[in-house]
Amino acid sequence: MIKTIFRLFVVGIIALGLVNPATAAKKPRYKPYVLASVSSGDMAAKVNEVRNKLKGGGFDLVGEYVPYDNAHVFVITNKAIIKAASKAKGGAYAAGQRVSVTKDGGKIQVAFFNPTYMAYAYRMSDDLQNTYKQLAKLLGKKEEFGSKRGLKKRKLKKYHYTFGMEYFDEPYELVSYGSQAEAVRAVEAGLAAKKAGVVKIGRIDIDGSGQTLFAVGLQAGTDNSDADDKSIMGVIDFGKLKHTAMLPYEILVKDGDVYALHGRFRIAMAFPDLSMMGDKSFMNIMASPNAIGAAFATVSGGDPSKYKK
């Protein structure tokens, strides 16, 4: 009887317009990666095929990155992505989208980082759904992955992994210069010298916003495995579907200041289901966020000591 009365009450308030049935419905969840295809064959041929599709399908190729064997990442952009990125505070981190080709167990996986997941996590007003659809049309779409249940928009907009770990708006504040031009020159010089094993993958100048985004790889090797892409991903990217499109990282120069998303946000956002404790967990890369911060400070001309705790 009580359940019947409750149902009648809900129907009544919907009829009166007090509750919108669309908003009352289950809200969608989003996962960080999109698996475009799985195939057999030659890795180099597949990389070339994907490259040609991207270049012929409305994307500019910012750079390419081979972080380790059997992994290849394209950093891409276009005018629409840059325009959307320039409108949001911190949205510039999304100016470079990522597509990966990974060979594992004889199969080649083509995947891309979910633009809409990224847009919400980076608090953008544009959800980058057009970019999602464009990539899915060019490369295919089999499934989304990277989180068992996915995250709701509201959760992504204020995402942090757990208590004590950074939010999107708590980046590494690496160094400040007197002008944007001076800051960009300093980062370019550091990357050219491959300081701390940080290498340049590509650069995006966001016209009219005073921002330049660098896509960067961590290639410290055994000298500093805590700040090395192969070492870090070797611990946390253990699933059947590979998270290669988590790479590369970004360094942002804005109005003469140099920033990067904090590792405890950036890695967690790309691996939201990773366990805190146990084998192949965040605990196994506990030193990496500070090591990454120190590497980024070094390459940009800042003080790495504040991250070496």
Side-chain angles (χ1 to χ4, degrees):
M1 182 66 179
I2 294 175
K3 289 182 179 180
T4 301
I5 293 172
F6 179 75
R7 283 197 292 268
L8 289 172
F9 174 73
V10 171
V11 171
I13 61 174
I14 289 175
L16 290 171
L18 298 178
V19 173
N20 187 330
T23 59
K26 189 175 181 180
K27 293 182 179 180
R29 293 176 177 268
Y30 304 90
K31 298 181 181 181
Y33 305 91
V34 181
L35 180 66
S37 68
V38 179
S39 62
S40 302
D42 180 68
M43 175 75 173
K46 180 59 70 173
V47 167
N48 192 51
E49 175 189 319
V50 171
R51 181 187 297 114
N52 290 336
K53 284 183 177 180
L54 292 170
K55 291 171 72 173
F59 291 100
D60 300 321
L61 190 56
V62 176
E64 301 183 38
Y65 183 39
V66 180
Y68 35 83
D69 291 344
N70 294 318
H72 196 109
V73 186
F74 297 95
V75 180
I76 58 173
T77 195
N78 59 26
K79 290 181 180 179
I81 295 170
I82 292 174
K83 182 178 179 180
S86 68
K87 289 182 177 180
K89 183 179 180 181
Y93 289 109
Q97 296 292 307
R98 305 184 295 270
V99 177
S100 64
V101 182
T102 313
K103 189 168 187 177
D104 182 64
K107 295 293 185 179
I108 301 173
Q109 302 174 19
V110 177
F112 55 92
F113 202 94
N114 184 337
T116 300
Y117 182 99
M118 183 186 291
Y120 291 149
Y122 292 178
R123 304 180 183 181
M124 298 173 66
S125 56
D126 189 316
D127 63 9
L128 295 182
Q129 263 291 302
N130 287 337
T131 301
Y132 184 120
K133 291 175 182 177
Q134 192 175 3
L135 285 169
K137 183 177 180 180
L138 281 175
L139 304 174
K141 177 188 173 183
K142 291 179 69 68
E143 62 177 293
E144 294 184 3
F145 69 97
S147 176
K148 186 175 180 179
R149 297 187 64 225
L151 286 77
K152 294 179 181 179
K153 175 181 175 179
R154 182 179 178 183
K155 173 72 173 178
L156 282 168
K157 286 279 189 177
K158 57 178 183 179
Y159 182 78
H160 80 147
Y161 181 80
T162 191
F163 177 79
M165 292 178 69
E166 284 74 9
Y167 290 83
F168 171 72
D169 57 1
E170 297 178 297
Y172 301 118
E173 297 179 353
L174 300 169
V175 63
S176 295
Y177 289 93
S179 69
Q180 178 74 0
E182 183 184 1
V184 170
R185 284 196 300 270
V187 175
E188 284 279 17
L191 291 172
K194 299 181 180 179
K195 290 184 177 180
V198 184
V199 299
K200 179 181 176 181
I201 311 304
R203 167 179 166 176
I204 302 172
D205 293 309
I206 303 173
D207 296 336
S209 69
Q211 299 179 91
T212 294
L213 187 75
F214 291 92
V216 299
L218 297 171
Q219 294 287 299
T222 55
D223 292 338
N224 185 8
S225 61
D226 291 325
D228 178 75
D229 286 332
K230 180 180 179 179
S231 296
I232 295 169
M233 295 293 276
V235 173
I236 61 178
D237 193 15
F238 55 85
K240 179 180 178 182
L241 298 179
K242 297 304 175 184
H243 297 51
T244 314
M246 181 268 215
L247 304 171
Y249 293 84
E250 306 83 16
I251 292 176
L252 176 64
V253 184
K254 181 178 182 181
D255 299 328
D257 298 322
V258 187
Y259 306 93
L261 293 174
H262 202 288
R264 284 190 287 267
F265 169 84
R266 177 66 164 71
I267 297 171
M269 183 269 294
F271 286 85
D273 287 0
L274 195 64
S275 298
M276 175 59 77
M277 305 289 289
D279 188 34
K280 296 184 180 296
S281 67
F282 276 117
M283 185 58 64
N284 300 118
I285 58 165
M286 183 172 61
S288 288
N290 280 343
I292 292 168
F296 287 166
T298 299
V299 80
S300 59
D303 178 11
S305 65
K306 61 182 179 179
Y307 300 107
K308 294 179 178 179
K309 299 177 182 179

